[in-house]
Amino acid sequence: MFVLGIETSCDETAAAVIGPDGICSDVVYTQEIHQKFGGVVPELAGRAHAEKVVTTTRAALQRAGIARPDGVAVTAGPGLMGAVLVGLCFGKAAAAGWGVPFVGVNHLEGHLLSPLLEDPAPEFPFLALVVSGGHTSLYLARGLGDYTVLGQTVDDAAGEVFDKVSRMMGLGYPGGPIIDAMAKTGRPDAVRFPRIEITPGSLTRGSSRPRTALDMSFSGLKTAVRTYMQRTDGWSGPDVAASFQAAVVDVLCARVLAASQATGVKQLALAGGVAANSQLRAAMSALPLSVFMPPKSRCTDNGAMIANAGRLRLLAGQSDDLGLTARSSWTPGT
Ligand code: KG4
Ligand code: ZN
C-alpha cells in the first residue's frame, strides 16, 4: 500500500509517499517568511501553505513515481488551525477525487511513531519522548493508538525555550539549530543554570492534571538565562548556549531514566524537532537504554511521519470519513 502523507500544521509544507519498502519520497518546503518576525505568524503560515501544498504534493508523487496513492493521510491537528485546515481540506479533496481512503493523523502521533521508520525500529511497548516547538511529552506507547502520557511540560515546550533564548541572545529563528551550532564552541559547565524539579502531588496551574515526578518545566530556566545575561557584562554566547542546552538535556535525560525505572521499559523513541539536537542525541544514546531516533532531517516536521502513522492506521483497518474536523489540541490516542 502506497500512502501519501501531507503535513501543514506549522511552518513546513510537506508531503511524502511511503510504500511497503519504506519512504519513496519526502519533500519538505520550509517557510522562510517567518524568520524576520522571530517566530511563526499563523496567518502568513496558512497563506504560504495554500501557495505550496499542490506543488509539494505533486513533487512527492513524482519522486515516488506514482500517479495515485492507495490512501491519503493528513495532519488534522494539533497545530495552527489556519495552517492545519489548508492541508486537511486539500488532502480530503485529493482522497475524494482519487476515490481512495482518507485518514486524519495526530501530528504528535506522527512524531511519536516516526522512529518506526528506522532500521532497527523499536517494538511496542516503548517510551517515546516527543520534544518539539509546541509540545514536550513523555509517553508509554503500548501499541498503535495506545499511548499513556507519563509526563509533560507544565509550561514552555523545550523547542519554544530554544527559540526564546535564541531571541534573547539576539540570534535568529528557529533558535534550536543556531544554539546547537553555537554550543559546540562553548563550555556546558560555564554557568550552572537550574534544572527545575517538579513536586509530585501539586496541581498544574490552570489545569486539573496532577503534576507527576515525570513532568517538566522550562520557563524558570528561560528566566534564569535572561537574568544571567542582564547581570553579566560581556557574557559569552557559546558558553550561555552550551550551558543552557546542557540544562535542557539534563532535565530530559533525567525524566527518561526515571520513566524507564518506573515502567521497566528499556526502549526509547526520541522524536520531534529538538530530537535533532546533537547534545541531546549524544546524551540519550549514552543512557542504558536502546534508543531509536530519526535522522536529524526527519526530526523536524515532515510528510513521511504523517504518511507512516496514516499507513499504519490504514493497514490496521482504520480510516476517517471526509467530515473529520481539525483539532487545535489533541492528545495522541484519544
Ligand atoms: O517538530 P518541529 O519541527 O515543529 C513542531 O511540531 O513544533 O519542531 C520545531 C522546534 C523548534 O522550536 C526548533 O527550534 C527546534 O525544534 N529545533 C531544535 C533543533 N532543530 C530544531 N532544537 C534544538 N536543537 C536543534 N538542533
Ligand atoms: Zn512537529
Side-chain angles (χ1 to χ4, degrees):
M1 175 185 257
F2 287 87
V3 173
L4 167 69
I6 299 172
E7 154 62 36
T8 65
S9 69
C10 192
D11 57 345
E12 264 87 25
T13 314
V17 174
I18 295 196
D21 297 326
I23 301 173
C24 308
S25 66
D26 188 14
V27 182
V28 180
Y29 168 75
T30 300
Q31 303 173 355
E32 289 178 356
I33 190 164
H34 308 289
Q35 284 173 3
K36 62 179 175 222
F37 300 101
V40 180
V41 182
E43 175 66 19
L44 295 179
R47 291 180 193 205
H49 285 308
E51 280 169 20
K52 289 286 180 196
V53 71
V54 177
T55 41
T56 306
T57 301
R58 193 174 284 142
L61 290 170
Q62 267 167 4
R63 285 181 204 179
I66 59 169
R68 193 191 82 150
D70 303 309
V72 177
V74 189
T75 302
L80 306 170
M81 278 302 88
V84 171
L85 282 168
V86 173
L88 188 60
C89 293
F90 174 72
K92 284 181 189 176
W98 282 317
V100 299
F102 158 81
V103 61
V105 171
N106 179 311
H107 179 88
L108 297 171
E109 185 180 24
H111 277 304
L112 191 162
L113 297 175
S114 62
L116 292 178
L117 287 167
E118 300 312 305
D119 184 16
E123 284 174 20
F124 293 114
F126 56 83
L127 299 172
L129 178 64
V130 178
V131 259
S132 72
H135 298 86
T136 297
S137 302
L138 183 54
Y139 303 91
L140 173 60
R142 292 195 187 84
L144 183 65
D146 183 358
Y147 319 115
T148 304
V149 179
L150 299 176
Q152 61 192 356
T153 181
V154 297
D155 39 53
D156 292 1
E160 187 180 353
V161 183
F162 269 94
D163 295 336
K164 287 178 177 170
V165 167
S166 174
R167 200 179 315 153
M168 283 176 342
M169 294 172 74
L171 306 171
Y173 174 86
I178 299 171
I179 290 187
D180 190 352
M182 186 173 262
K184 290 194 190 338
T185 55
R187 295 169 298 156
D189 54 357
V191 192
R192 178 73 192 176
F193 288 125
R195 279 77 169 147
I196 314 274
E197 292 295 327
I198 301 289
T199 318
S202 60
L203 288 183
T204 307
R205 203 176 340 126
S207 103
S208 57
R209 187 173 177 274
R211 286 181 172 174
T212 75
L214 295 175
D215 277 344
M216 296 154 257
S217 164
F218 295 103
S219 86
L221 170 60
K222 174 188 65 187
T223 307
V225 174
R226 183 188 292 118
T227 307
Y228 172 80
M229 291 196 299
Q230 283 166 347
R231 290 187 183 161
T232 313
D233 288 334
W235 49 267
S236 149
D239 281 352
V240 170
S243 299
F244 156 73
Q245 185 174 270
V248 175
V249 168
D250 278 358
V251 168
L252 295 173
C253 285
R255 295 304 182 278
V256 163
L257 264 188
S260 174
Q261 278 156 9
T263 59
V265 175
K266 298 276 182 224
Q267 297 179 95
L268 171 73
L270 180 63
V274 183
N277 185 269
S278 18
Q279 188 50 38
L280 183 64
R281 295 171 81 85
M284 289 288 176
S285 303
L287 296 178
L289 304 173
S290 302
V291 181
F292 304 85
M293 49 197 166
K296 289 185 181 186
S297 61
R298 265 193 285 104
C299 289
T300 44
D301 292 348
N302 61 84
M305 70 185 202
I306 304 303
N308 173 55
R311 185 169 182 274
L312 292 173
R313 289 200 36 212
L314 289 170
L315 287 173
Q318 303 168 19
S319 64
D320 290 306
D321 71 47
L322 296 176
L324 184 81
T325 51
R327 294 169 73 172
S328 58
S329 80
W330 182 7
T331 302
T334 60

